[in-house]
Amino acid sequence: MVLYHETLAYRSDASKNGTLLTPAQREALVAPYLPAPKPARSNSARKTRPVRTFLQTQLHILVFNVIHTLFSLYIRLRHAYHAVLSRVLAILYYHHRTPELIRKDVRGLSRLPEHLSVILELQQTGGGAGLEALLDEVAEVAAWCACVGIPVLSVYERTGALKTYIPATHRAVATKLQEYFGKGRPSLQVRAPHMPSFLNGDLSEQATPLGDSGHLSVLLLSSEDGRSTIVDLTRTLAEMSQHQKLLPSDISSDLIDAEISESVTSDPELLLLFGPYVNLQGYPPWQLRLTEIFHVQDNVGVEYQVFLRALHNYAKAQMRFGR
């Protein structure tokens, strides 16, 4: 605590512009109230800290490089393993565009999906090369499904480019089926939600099947068939409930499932991705509740061996739907 006479002396000196006390007296007056000075660091301490910091930095760099090297080695070995495995499977199970060989590859499976869905991507290239490659991929997968006896194939492409080329898609798939089956190819239907469908090249739903190889239905989906469909259905149900056309107690998951299945598609048993990782790209979420999702790590491109591995994986999968 500052003493009264010290305060009085300081204020008197200040009022006289510092003429009453000498500099030494002023220092002695405030000295008891100043903090203790810090001890000066020695030259050895000043030299030790930069050396310690340098060693820590080098240690961190070494640990980072070791981790980066090990992870890079793991990634390269994994890529090499999957590349070799894919080539071996492609050689052992090449189908030669022969339905009999494809059926032989799945003959021992205990079950096959009734509805297979795939996610494909339109490559943004100059001209129409990207769309042409996408149509060829759709046609290949459709031919494989027809060979093994899968009646429904849904193809999801995020931008909806396929939905604007339904006749071209039908021609591409029909041409591919002709290459596989010849004149006895299955009847083919290509459709999209809320759009006219093509059955054997006609808009009519009463066209006659071309052969005894069954029927294949190809459904084209895009991102607008996903969350926006659920939003529109929710709005419709809310308006019907407000106008007393539907009781709130009547709205259930079964009703929503029936409406979405009728307007978009039913739930696929198997969803196949041909990319190196799982990327759903906005796929309709309601249809994926009970779907088995399959992809091959580090795979790029639509390959028959990926399709075959997906069917084998589906046949061995355990479906636990709960109570």
Side-chain angles (χ1 to χ4, degrees):
M1 182 177 180
V2 181
L3 300 178
Y4 175 73
H5 69 276
E6 294 176 341
T7 303
L8 184 61
Y10 180 80
R11 290 179 177 176
S12 299
D13 181 66
S15 62
K16 298 296 184 179
N17 296 324
T19 57
L20 297 180
L21 300 176
T22 63
Q25 291 175 329
R26 283 194 291 272
E27 290 179 3
L29 186 65
V30 300
Y33 308 104
L34 296 176
K38 295 182 179 180
R41 292 184 298 176
S42 62
N43 293 334
S44 60
R46 293 177 182 176
K47 295 179 180 179
T48 303
R49 178 160 296 181
V51 173
R52 184 181 304 169
T53 303
F54 174 78
L55 293 177
Q56 289 178 348
T57 303
Q58 297 303 314
L59 178 61
H60 295 162
I61 294 175
L62 177 62
V63 172
F64 172 79
N65 288 331
V66 170
I67 295 176
H68 186 272
T69 302
L70 293 177
F71 187 74
S72 300
L73 181 61
Y74 161 74
I75 293 296
R76 291 181 180 275
L77 290 176
R78 193 187 71 184
H79 285 179
Y81 167 75
H82 286 141
V84 172
L85 180 62
S86 297
R87 288 299 92 201
V88 171
L89 292 176
I91 295 173
L92 293 178
Y93 294 98
Y94 186 65
H95 50 75
H96 298 280
R97 296 187 176 183
T98 305
E100 290 76 13
L101 292 179
I102 297 178
R103 295 192 191 103
K104 181 181 177 182
D105 292 337
V106 299
R107 187 172 299 164
L109 300 183
S110 58
R111 59 178 176 174
L112 291 172
E114 293 294 322
H115 180 182
L116 171 67
S117 186
V118 297
I119 295 179
L120 300 179
E121 187 173 355
L122 175 63
Q123 300 297 332
Q124 300 297 334
T125 58
L131 180 60
E132 187 175 335
L134 179 62
L135 291 175
D136 185 68
E137 292 175 350
V138 174
E140 283 287 352
V141 178
W144 300 337
C145 290
C147 291
V148 300
I150 298 176
V152 180
L153 168 67
S154 58
V155 180
Y156 177 83
E157 194 279 317
R158 182 180 57 83
T159 64
L162 290 174
K163 297 170 69 174
T164 59
Y165 294 95
I166 293 181
T169 304
H170 187 282
R171 286 195 299 270
V173 177
T175 301
K176 190 67 67 172
L177 292 177
Q178 187 78 22
E179 296 176 1
Y180 276 74
F181 290 90
K183 295 182 179 180
R185 68 175 176 85
S187 60
L188 172 65
Q189 180 189 38
V190 178
R191 60 189 178 92
H194 317 297
M195 299 181 69
S197 62
F198 270 67
L199 182 60
N200 296 333
D202 300 319
L203 286 174
S204 173
E205 295 290 336
Q206 304 299 325
T208 304
L210 295 180
D212 57 355
S213 299
H215 175 76
L216 176 65
S217 178
V218 179
L219 175 63
L220 307 178
L221 300 174
S222 65
S223 59
E224 66 181 11
D225 300 315
R227 293 178 176 84
S228 60
T229 300
I230 297 180
V231 172
D232 293 339
L233 178 60
T234 303
R235 185 182 297 111
T236 302
L237 294 177
E239 292 176 354
M240 294 178 64
S241 179
Q242 290 177 351
H243 292 86
Q244 305 298 323
K245 296 181 179 180
L246 183 68
L247 295 177
S249 58
D250 296 334
I251 301 176
S252 62
S253 60
D254 294 335
L255 175 62
I256 296 175
D257 183 46
E259 292 293 333
I260 292 180
S261 298
E262 182 179 354
S263 60
V264 182
T265 179
S266 60
D267 298 351
E269 287 91 358
L270 175 62
L271 174 62
L272 176 56
L273 292 84
F274 290 99
Y277 49 85
V278 176
N279 182 10
L280 300 180
Q281 303 182 29
Y283 192 97
W286 186 269
Q287 282 79 0
L288 294 179
R289 300 167 300 152
L290 305 174
T291 301
E292 183 77 13
I293 301 176
F294 180 83
H295 87 290
V296 174
Q297 203 172 35
D298 301 325
N299 177 75
V300 178
V302 177
E303 299 286 346
Y304 171 71
Q305 53 91 11
V306 177
F307 172 81
L308 188 60
R309 291 168 68 179
L311 296 183
H312 280 264
N313 183 80
Y314 174 79
K316 295 184 293 185
Q318 297 181 3
M319 303 298 179
R320 297 179 178 145
F321 300 110
R323 300 181 63 181

